[in-house]
Amino acid sequence: MNMILKGLCGLWLAGLFCVSPVKADPKSAEPPHEDSGFFILPDGVDALNMRLTLIREAKRSLDVQYYIWHQDKSGRLILSALLDAAERGVKVRLLLDDMNLAKDRDLFRDLDRHPQVEIRLFNPLKYDGKGLSKIARTVELMVDFKDKNRRMHNKMLLADESMAVMGGRNIGDEYFDLAVDKSFRDLDIYTEGPISRKLTATFESYWKNENSVPFFQEDIKVAESSAHAKEWTNLRHDLGLDRSQNPGDFLAQSKKPSALLDIQKQLIWAPADSLADSPEIFNGDAEGVEDQLKDWPEPQKSLLIESAYFIPTHALLKQFQGFLSRSVHIEVLTNSLQSNDVLMAHAGYMGKREDILKMGIVLFEWRHDLNKSSGGKSANPYGSQAGLHSKAFVIDEEYVFIGSVNLDGRSIHLNTESGLMVHSRDLAAHVTDYIKDGMNPKTSWAISLACPKSPCAEDEKIVLWKGQKDGREVIYEDEPEEGFWLRTTAKFLSHMPFKSVL
């Protein structure tokens, strides 16, 4: 019977969640055996401060894995902190996906010369994207679409194999509420405890994978490092990463205590698991996040989702329909056309939006023109526009997932992903509050189907956007506050036949 149940479980969410017959009691306060500690980071400045704190506290190692790393204020600040750590003897390993690195390869190649720093590129392209090679890089992506579009979307900073920050944020000012023109609403989670063992093992599996390519061969690396060790201060100055770099006034806005001991006193302790695609999925069949989620619960009462890109596959829609038939309440917060930073992703979602609404799923679309970008906590000091970038869901007000996984074909079929699944009503309450705050009528549009006339047939219903503006309820019959040409382009693209890889 158990084998039959497990087989049935594999059908849920195209393998993204499943039933477990055993439920552990969530805990808080003092850590029981094998429970880990958690602390959510919805605020961008807090999330940056947490990363800098872990880097400062590291004594032995820093293992860092990211999809995007911009050379802006926050990107250079974190690099400078990593070099400070390296110069006090901490071993720094940095694994970066090559898709968005392009012209910054030279900087990271220079950083790789430090004797305590090693940098690898995941699934690198042949061309670096500088000058005319930018065209060659684009052609390479088009010609070798299947392999070169499979990217490492994981995001993690792990200190001393014992403390980590994971979640949706890449490294860049827009993820930490520091960008002048835009910022992202996003969500990270700090963790420590036994779960760190699995985080360490996962990083090692990526680091040693054949798709992780070093800048230098080992023998050349030693020679390069030795040659430049005495000149490192000058080289660091030339790179604009002087030791004098400091967080500046913007970190004074952080609402979370900067001392790690103070943070540790506020941890929620609970059973959890670290989930990650095996890097071997690029080379054939291997275990992915969808397989690991089979040991976690299928919703019985409610499913609350926040996903930057929400383009459910046919199998996922079928599973949602099954939940709805059992009276499971499903609510989803995703981007609007105005807030979405990827037009193709919104087009893919548009093509399925009416079907999603007809099923009975409650939809909300995040608004762009806000003064808050981090879950309603602190105002963005630089910009006023905010897109949604979080990836989280809550099952039955009891189980929480926070990570890099969007509910779209790209996350399921192309990219590697990672995240944490935690069994804790306390943590679930915090994440529920975060998502629900984003769904309120001042921050999002409530989406519905309505008849333009009465009576009307089902296929005559139109999509409505309802929210509040300047203290008044407003209703739109088309994508709110966007121009004719962008709406028309998105509608045209929504009919294109490539939603499975968006």
Side-chain angles (χ1 to χ4, degrees):
M1 178 61 75
N2 286 340
M3 290 298 292
I4 295 173
L5 288 175
K6 189 166 185 178
L8 291 173
C9 285
L11 296 174
W12 151 227
L13 204 62
L16 281 186
F17 309 98
C18 203
V19 170
S20 174
V22 178
K23 292 187 178 181
D25 292 330
K27 302 288 192 298
S28 57
E30 293 301 317
H33 179 64
E34 290 301 305
D35 280 8
S36 296
F38 302 95
F39 187 87
I40 66 166
L41 298 163
D43 186 87
V45 177
D46 292 343
L48 175 58
N49 198 22
M50 187 73 246
R51 286 165 171 81
L52 293 173
T53 298
L54 291 191
I55 295 170
R56 289 193 299 265
E57 293 289 332
K59 301 296 189 296
R60 302 180 305 278
S61 64
L62 286 161
D63 293 329
V64 185
Q65 182 179 19
Y66 280 96
Y67 175 60
I68 292 174
W69 196 300
H70 291 319
Q71 297 312 308
D72 50 18
K73 291 189 292 290
S74 58
R76 286 183 169 268
L77 178 61
I78 296 175
L79 284 179
S80 181
L82 289 171
L83 289 175
D84 288 345
E87 290 174 14
R88 64 175 187 264
V90 176
K91 179 63 177 177
V92 177
R93 295 188 295 178
L94 184 55
L95 179 59
L96 299 173
D97 186 85
D98 188 50
M99 175 65 85
N100 297 284
L101 210 56
K103 64 182 183 300
D104 294 322
R105 276 190 188 175
D106 288 347
L107 170 65
F108 287 101
R109 183 180 288 107
D110 285 335
L111 296 178
D112 193 45
R113 296 177 182 176
H114 193 287
Q116 287 294 110
V117 176
E118 188 172 357
I119 302 175
R120 296 184 180 183
L121 303 184
F122 193 85
N123 197 17
L125 281 74
K126 180 178 179 180
Y127 301 97
D128 62 11
K130 293 188 297 183
L132 293 177
S133 71
K134 184 175 183 178
I135 299 174
R137 187 177 173 96
T138 302
V139 172
E140 183 181 3
L141 283 168
M142 295 174 62
V143 172
D144 195 6
F145 181 88
K146 181 179 179 181
D147 290 333
K148 294 305 180 183
N149 277 276
R150 306 193 75 170
R151 310 312 313 177
M152 184 191 73
H153 198 235
N154 313 43
K155 303 161 178 69
M156 181 181 72
L157 190 153
L158 175 64
D160 291 338
E161 300 182 357
S162 61
M163 306 172 289
V165 175
M166 298 178 66
R169 288 184 177 92
N170 294 295
I171 303 300
D173 288 354
E174 63 267 39
Y175 300 98
F176 300 119
D177 289 350
L178 301 178
V180 174
D181 56 344
K182 67 175 181 178
S183 281
F184 284 119
R185 167 187 166 90
D186 216 329
L187 186 63
D188 287 330
I189 186 167
Y190 167 78
T191 186
E192 63 177 59
I195 201 167
S196 299
R197 294 195 295 267
K198 190 166 182 182
L199 295 177
T200 300
T202 298
F203 183 87
E204 289 291 342
S205 71
Y206 276 84
W207 186 257
K208 296 175 180 178
N209 185 264
E210 62 183 17
N211 289 298
S212 297
V213 179
F215 278 116
F216 304 107
Q217 299 296 327
E218 289 302 320
D219 55 340
I220 301 177
K221 165 76 173 171
V222 172
E224 288 278 353
S225 298
S226 300
H228 289 272
K230 294 181 180 179
E231 304 166 353
W232 185 250
T233 299
N234 292 334
L235 179 58
R236 187 170 177 177
H237 176 75
D238 292 342
L239 295 173
L241 297 171
D242 293 302
R243 182 180 287 275
S244 61
Q245 288 214 14
N246 60 73
D249 295 337
F250 54 82
L251 280 191
Q253 303 167 69
S254 178
K255 301 295 189 298
K256 296 289 187 293
S258 57
L260 188 59
L261 181 61
D262 291 338
I263 293 172
Q264 290 169 328
K265 292 177 182 178
Q266 302 179 48
L267 295 178
I268 294 172
W269 292 87
D273 195 9
S274 165
L275 312 180
D277 289 312
S278 166
E280 294 296 332
I281 65 171
F282 286 0
N283 305 320
D285 292 335
E287 188 178 65
V289 171
E290 63 274 17
D291 300 301
Q292 297 158 23
L293 277 163
K294 291 175 184 177
D295 295 327
W296 289 87
E298 184 178 78
Q300 304 300 315
K301 298 178 295 183
S302 63
L303 178 59
L304 185 64
I305 296 171
E306 180 161 336
S307 182
Y309 311 125
F310 185 61
I311 314 170
T313 62
H314 176 74
L316 177 51
L317 287 175
K318 187 175 180 180
Q319 293 301 320
F320 282 155
Q321 188 65 66
F323 300 149
L324 292 164
S325 70
R326 301 200 306 270
S327 300
V328 174
H329 184 65
I330 303 175
E331 294 179 282
V332 178
L333 174 61
T334 190
N335 274 299
S336 63
L337 175 60
Q338 189 187 39
S339 68
N340 205 318
D341 63 325
V342 181
L343 181 60
M344 289 298 301
H346 189 79
Y349 158 69
M350 280 180 67
K352 299 190 174 188
R353 182 167 51 201
E354 289 193 26
D355 290 338
I356 293 168
L357 291 168
K358 288 175 182 177
M359 289 170 57
I361 293 174
V362 181
L363 271 181
F364 297 87
E365 292 182 5
W366 178 252
R367 290 161 63 174
H368 192 237
D369 55 337
L370 303 174
N371 291 321
K372 296 179 180 179
S373 61
S374 298
K377 282 195 58 208
S378 64
N380 176 358
Y382 294 98
S384 62
Q385 296 182 326
L388 185 150
H389 197 258
S390 314
K391 305 100 166 54
F393 57 79
V394 180
I395 300 171
D396 292 341
E397 301 179 349
E398 186 173 358
Y399 296 87
V400 180
F401 178 87
I402 298 173
S404 67
V405 183
N406 291 298
L407 295 186
D408 63 6
R410 173 166 283 276
S411 280
I412 295 171
H413 299 304
L414 290 180
N415 294 341
T416 67
E417 306 286 358
S418 62
L420 298 176
M421 179 69 93
V422 186
H423 183 185
S424 167
R425 287 192 176 275
D426 290 340
L427 191 67
H430 286 301
V431 178
T432 295
D433 288 346
Y434 169 80
I435 298 177
K436 288 288 189 178
D437 182 71
M439 290 176 170
N440 83 72
K442 294 180 181 179
T443 59
S444 290
W445 304 110
I447 315 300
S448 62
L449 289 174
C451 290
K453 59 182 180 179
S454 183
C456 75
E458 188 69 23
D459 60 358
E460 294 178 309
K461 290 183 177 180
I462 61 173
V463 178
L464 295 182
W465 287 257
K466 182 185 296 185
Q468 289 183 10
K469 191 172 183 180
D470 300 326
R472 303 181 295 109
E473 181 179 88
V474 292
I475 299 176
Y476 293 89
E477 296 184 1
D478 209 339
E479 308 278 349
E481 301 178 345
E482 276 299 345
F484 169 80
W485 288 112
L486 185 62
R487 292 197 304 264
T488 301
T489 302
K491 288 176 183 176
F492 171 77
L493 292 174
S494 71
H495 298 289
M496 301 298 283
F498 37 65
K499 299 184 184 68
S500 63
V501 294
L502 291 175

